[in-house]
Amino acid sequence: MNSPAHSPDFPLPARTATASWTLPVITALALVLAIAVSFFGSGALGGTPIQQAAGGYLSADATLLAPAGPAFSIWSVIYAGLAVYGIFQLTPAGRRSAWAARLRMPALLSALLNAAWIAVVQLGWLGVSVAVIFALVACLAWMLSIMMAGTPGSRTEYWIMWLTFGIYLGWVCVASIANTAAWLLSLGVGEGASWTPGFAVVLLVAAAGIGLGITAYSGRIFTAVAIAWGLAWIGASRLAGSNQSELVGYAGLGCAALLLLGSLAIAWRQRGVTAP
């Protein structure tokens, strides 16, 4: 029989918690801050666009692991999901859900880390930004483990949390690799070296492996889809941008395709194994 933590295909039992307002309101304010800072970081509110900040090391052609510009449209999906989550967790159902209560603190922390990352990039602190983005990855991985250990109170809660934070984790995994590459380039590491394309391919393969591992662990493809999105746009950037590398370009596209197909196969197989 399917486990309620792994499938939304049947009514999920509600779990109740104290319907306090304090932490939900603080979480909502943290999410508002993260979304507001993201507008600043986009240049819409007077900030420097991320691709132009920090000496341009985060631009689409700065490193071999930088995704093409359209890849960053995934942030619109993530921020929309965070806005929906912020509202939902203020509702009576969201405040009474024990599953949501356990997820609220890491969600709040992820919002603060998101805002902090944009702030340090605006200041040009690339090394600090690497530490912040890996802290964000760890925070979202913590959320994943909590989601796997508990049971959502409704299908609505299930889809809000998994779509938002599953995709969020996948994209930040890719962003952390690109961020690290940008920081190393700013230090002069590997600049113009013959080994950098091969090392970039190793990291692309590792990212695809992480995506497959998360799918095997969770039985869901949300994170893998986001990672594949990022890998595909890294490939596209290397084949069409000014910093071209056919090896990295085709490796990015190949890893994205293999990750998608592999994750679909893993999720389908797990669903079949747990089916009644």
Side-chain angles (χ1 to χ4, degrees), residues 37-62:
V37 172
S38 75
F39 276 100
F40 180 77
S42 71
L45 297 178
T48 303
I50 293 298
Q51 292 195 351
Q52 298 173 22
Y57 286 108
L58 293 169
S59 67
D61 291 317

Side-chain angles (χ1 to χ4, degrees), residues 19-205:
S20 169
W21 277 100
T22 305
L23 194 55
V25 169
I26 295 173
T27 301
L29 291 174
L31 291 165
V32 169
L33 173 66
I35 294 170
V37 172
S38 75
F39 276 100
F40 180 77
S42 71
L45 297 178
T48 303
I50 293 298
Q51 292 195 351
Q52 298 173 22
Y57 286 108
L58 293 169
S59 67
D61 291 317
T63 72
L64 292 176
L65 291 170
F72 297 93
S73 62
I74 196 172
W75 277 117
S76 299
V77 176
I78 293 169
Y79 284 124
L82 290 176
V84 171
Y85 163 70
I87 294 169
F88 171 79
Q89 59 97 38
L90 289 171
T91 65
R95 287 185 290 114
R96 292 192 180 99
S97 168
W99 196 61
R102 289 191 294 271
L103 288 163
R104 193 168 281 114
M105 184 56 71
L108 188 161
L109 180 58
S110 73
L112 296 178
L113 288 169
N114 185 309
W117 184 86
I118 296 172
V120 297
V121 168
Q122 291 289 308
L123 293 170
W125 300 347
L126 273 176
V128 178
S129 75
V130 171
V132 173
I133 202 166
F134 276 104
L136 179 55
V137 170
C139 183
L140 294 170
W142 177 25
M143 291 193 72
L144 178 69
S145 68
I146 294 173
M147 287 193 286
M148 287 298 298
T151 302
S154 67
R155 287 187 176 89
T156 298
E157 185 178 19
Y158 172 94
W159 286 109
I160 289 173
M161 299 304 294
W162 276 103
L163 277 173
T164 300
F165 293 100
I167 292 173
Y168 197 179
L169 173 60
W171 173 249
V172 173
C173 284
V174 175
S176 66
I177 295 173
N179 197 166
T180 303
W183 173 55
L184 292 175
L185 179 64
S186 74
L187 299 176
V189 178
E191 187 172 4
S194 60
W195 54 266
T196 52
F199 186 61
V201 171
V202 170
L203 292 177
L204 293 173
V205 172

Side-chain angles (χ1 to χ4, degrees), residues 1-15 99 102 146-159 161-162 218-220 222 270-271 274-276:
M1 184 175 182
N2 286 344
S3 165
H6 288 74
S7 173
D9 292 337
F10 58 90
L12 297 167
R15 309 270 182 93
W99 196 61
R102 289 191 294 271
I146 294 173
M147 287 193 286
M148 287 298 298
T151 302
S154 67
R155 287 187 176 89
T156 298
E157 185 178 19
Y158 172 94
W159 286 109
M161 299 304 294
W162 276 103
S218 68
R220 299 168 177 84
F222 305 119
Q270 289 194 5
R271 186 179 180 84
T274 59

